Amino acid sequence: MSPYIQSLRPRTLPLSMSGIILGSGLAYLSGFHFQFSVFILALLTTLSLQILSNLSNELGDALKGTDTNQHGRDAYGLQTGAITIPQMKRMIILFIVLSVLFGSALVLTAFWPLSTLNSQLSTLTNTLIFLAFGALAIIGAMTYTLGKHSYGYIGLGDLGVFLFFGLLSTLGAFYLQTQTLTWEVTSCGIAIGLPCVGVLNLNNIRDMANDRLHGKHTFASLLGPAGARLYHALLLVACLALFAACGHCWTLLILPVWIWHVWFICRHSENELDKQMPVLMFTTIIVACLAIL
């Protein structure tokens, strides 16, 4: 595989689409006028942000020396020397530009075609709010491990993933279609954010020893191996409980897979956990789809 494609981390991309699919699906079911173009632009925006986050994460860890000589995981372009730091910076700039372009097109497509003279103030307010959220998303994607004050090194990565790829992704996708919000959508956004956090937590359990060695204090490393595994199980249980409480009981079909998944991570060491990443990523997007049946 090309080192450039590998650094994009394609297997993580379905995860970033979960909130968009869920929020858009709930909007479609609610009976509002559904804009397919808004849905596609929302997917392109969130994929650009996910890739930006992946690239910035690789650069940040490489500059701090965190990715040096890790075992039990794939070595990416910077770690192997196949990609230089200037090349990685150019890739990051490219995906910043793509995030801005897709995000701006998304906001304009969602709000302005429906604008009338009497509603232009509200439309302008919505536009400015979503552009501000977009700017925060770009900053959040870049500063997880990149920079002197990266929040992923002080145990706040879980919160960032929950907000940007769970709650705000779902609420944003729904609002862009309906220009309204409901408690059900908020609860579903919280629910889908929990397994998204689980993916990061699984990553941090795998890398715990190396992260501690390099001063990266993830939430998993603060909890310790046993605590992080218990936390992982609680995230998945809470996700399905929230969906079931909102009446989205089809999501419970994923329960046997998640029981096996939790059993696996409790019985295996850090170096063997990498194979569970795609399991949780793809089942999370399946849960998002089941929730809109």
Side-chain angles (χ1 to χ4, degrees):
M1 182 185 294
S2 165
Y4 292 98
I5 295 176
Q6 189 180 22
S7 288
L8 301 184
R9 306 186 192 185
R11 71 177 185 174
T12 68
L13 301 185
L15 183 70
S16 65
M17 296 189 291
S18 300
I20 301 297
I21 290 173
L22 177 59
S24 300
L26 293 173
Y28 178 81
L29 294 176
S30 67
F32 286 88
H33 174 68
F34 186 84
Q35 298 184 77
F36 189 71
S37 58
V38 170
F39 172 63
I40 295 300
L41 285 169
L43 285 179
L44 291 173
T45 301
T46 197
L47 287 173
S48 298
L49 288 168
Q50 176 69 70
I51 293 172
L52 175 61
S53 177
N54 293 343
L55 296 174
S56 299
N57 182 24
E58 183 175 344
L59 178 59
D61 279 343
L63 291 174
K64 293 179 173 67
T66 311
D67 273 348
T68 304
N69 297 324
Q70 287 204 57
H71 301 287
R73 55 165 291 178
D74 293 333
Y76 295 111
L78 280 178
Q79 186 179 353
T80 63
I83 299 176
T84 66
I85 288 177
Q87 288 171 329
M88 180 60 72
K89 288 181 177 179
R90 286 195 290 270
M91 290 176 66
I92 288 173
I93 291 171
L94 171 62
F95 280 94
I96 291 174
V97 172
L98 289 176
S99 298
V100 170
L101 290 177
F102 287 136
S104 299
L106 169 63
V107 172
L108 294 175
T109 303
F111 295 133
W112 285 96
L114 302 178
S115 177
T116 65
L117 184 62
N118 293 330
S119 66
Q120 283 184 356
L121 180 59
S122 175
T123 300
L124 179 60
T125 301
N126 283 334
T127 300
L128 293 175
I129 289 173
F130 271 82
L131 289 177
F133 279 142
L136 287 175
I138 290 173
I139 294 171
M142 295 183 64
T143 56
Y144 171 60
T145 63
L146 191 58
K148 294 181 179 180
H149 305 290
S150 48
Y151 61 90
Y153 276 71
I154 56 173
L156 296 178
D158 295 45
L159 179 61
V161 167
F162 172 75
L163 290 176
F164 289 113
F165 291 107
L167 182 61
L168 293 179
S169 180
T170 304
L171 294 181
F174 186 85
Y175 191 87
L176 286 164
Q177 296 284 358
T178 67
Q179 298 191 33
T180 187
L181 292 174
T182 67
W183 283 112
E184 178 190 2
V185 175
T186 303
S187 298
C188 288
I190 293 171
I192 202 64
L194 298 177
C196 292
V197 173
V199 172
L200 178 63
N201 182 62
L202 183 58
N203 178 84
N204 291 338
I205 293 174
R206 180 198 65 190
D207 297 341
M208 188 180 297
N210 184 76
D211 287 344
R212 285 175 168 174
L213 183 64
H214 291 88
K216 185 177 181 180
H217 304 293
T218 64
F219 193 59
S221 68
L222 295 174
L223 292 174
R229 285 170 167 80
L230 175 60
Y231 169 59
H232 192 83
L234 292 176
L235 288 170
L236 303 187
V237 169
C239 167
L240 295 183
L242 268 174
F243 274 126
C246 294
H248 301 283
C249 295
W250 284 107
T251 56
L252 295 176
L253 290 174
I254 212 69
L255 182 60
V257 179
W258 278 2
I259 289 175
W260 169 79
H261 167 76
V262 171
W263 173 86
F264 186 97
I265 67 168
C266 288
R267 295 291 298 270
H268 292 79
S269 65
E270 285 80 354
N271 291 346
E272 299 173 293
L273 298 182
D274 194 63
K275 64 186 70 173
Q276 285 296 307
M277 292 290 184
V279 173
L280 187 52
M281 289 177 190
F282 283 102
T283 52
T284 298
I285 200 170
I286 291 172
V287 166
C289 294
L290 290 173
I292 57 180
L293 290 180

